[in-house]
Amino acid sequence: NAGVTQTPKFRVLKTGQSMTLLCAQDMNHEYMYWYRQDPGMGLRLIHYSVGEGTTAKGEVPDGYNVSRLKKQNFLLGLESAAPSQTSVYFCASSYSLASLSGGRYEQYFGPGTRLTVT
Amino acid sequence: QKEVEQDPGPLSVPEGAIVSLNCTYSNSAFQYFMWYRQYSRKGPELLMYTYSSGNKEDGRFTAQVDKSSKYISLFIRDSQPSDSATYLCAMSDTGKSTFGDGTTLTVKP
């Protein structure tokens, strides 16, 4: 049981390049999330998904796209990277109903991807 | 104004001190209250979980929720250097949570 895994762990991009971050979970969770974390700004929700084939915008969606073709995977894409997208990216997953998780809505986080855009 | 406000810190305390970490919120629909701990260069992990108002104790940690005041706290007794981390409060009424910005705690030996 690996929990939530993220690929890659580190990446350096040049401005204008594109990349995809992959998140995978093996807990059969319905909900998945992408956050970015910058110093002094906490976790900011980029996009999230409430089920296979569905996605929704979070707090800071501009410059990112997502896809959830399979329940266990959630992909985050940067089409044209900018220096402002330098950050640590975390993926997380959770149950949709507290009744499925013993009354808890906790999110399980991956180890993060450190992205630098030069 | 943010939906969840967390005391910004940083906090630096000597080993053995009692630590109080606090958050306020504005959404009265929140029923699930969580504290996550995040060590440096790691992802957040759930530390404490409370449903509705009241106290919950787990070892040296106590989570307190006051829904009437829209205020939650995490107390750490006999703090240890291993407690040095960033603590994030989070709240939810559905599967999606709203996080505070975090308080960084350093416990000095």
Side-chain angles (χ1 to χ4, degrees):
Chain A
N1 189 338
V4 179
T5 58
Q6 291 183 233
T7 309
K9 289 186 169 52
F10 304 93
R11 186 72 185 268
V12 178
L13 287 179
K14 294 186 187 304
T15 297
Q17 288 184 321
S18 64
M19 77 164 294
T20 299
L21 283 68
L22 171 64
C23 176
Q25 54 95 4
D26 60 2
M27 295 171 282
N28 203 33
H29 286 164
E30 292 83 9
Y31 285 18
M32 295 187 74
Y33 316 82
W34 276 107
Y35 296 91
R36 61 178 289 174
Q37 187 175 43
D38 302 291
M41 300 191 74
L43 288 166
R44 291 188 289 169
L45 184 64
I46 305 171
H47 286 281
Y48 65 101
S49 168
V50 299
E52 183 178 317
T54 70
T55 63
K57 293 180 180 180
E59 183 185 352
V60 289
D62 294 342
Y64 305 95
N65 56 75
V66 288
S67 64
R68 184 129 179 242
L69 300 180
K70 293 184 179 180
K71 186 177 184 179
Q72 64 267 34
N73 295 337
F74 196 28
L75 278 62
L76 177 71
L78 286 73
E79 290 186 345
S80 179
S84 60
Q85 294 177 305
T86 293
S87 187
V88 180
Y89 291 85
F90 288 103
C91 176
S93 67
S94 72
Y95 287 108
S96 60
L97 296 172
S99 59
L100 296 175
S101 59
R104 292 153 57 124
Y105 275 130
E106 69 179 289
Q107 294 187 16
Y108 294 78
F109 286 83
T113 295
R114 294 184 173 273
L115 175 65
T116 301
V117 183
T118 61
Chain B
Q1 188 179 355
K2 289 184 177 181
E3 212 169 19
V4 176
E5 298 275 3
Q6 183 167 0
D7 288 353
L11 282 178
S12 181
V13 302
E15 184 175 352
I18 296 174
V19 176
S20 172
L21 304 167
N22 308 294
C23 290
T24 59
Y25 63 95
S26 56
N27 187 346
S28 57
F30 289 145
Q31 295 189 69
Y32 302 90
F33 303 92
M34 292 150 281
W35 286 95
Y36 288 80
R37 179 171 61 194
Q38 184 178 20
Y39 290 115
S40 180
R41 305 180 76 85
K42 301 287 187 184
E45 290 183 305
L46 184 73
L47 179 64
M48 295 286 287
Y49 181 93
T50 309
Y51 172 69
S52 196
S53 283
N55 291 0
K56 184 173 183 179
E57 190 172 318
D58 184 0
R60 297 184 294 109
F61 299 90
T62 300
Q64 196 171 77
V65 174
D66 182 348
K67 290 189 71 178
S68 62
S69 302
K70 297 189 177 68
Y71 189 89
I72 73 169
S73 298
L74 177 71
F75 298 97
I76 307 174
R77 292 185 299 280
D78 187 25
S79 56
Q80 302 295 309
S82 59
D83 295 328
S84 297
T86 297
Y87 292 80
L88 300 140
C89 63
M91 306 172 192
S92 176
D93 58 335
T94 64
K96 191 162 69 70
S97 293
T98 302
F99 286 83
D101 286 349
T103 302
T104 298
L105 170 68
T106 301
V107 181
K108 296 185 175 180

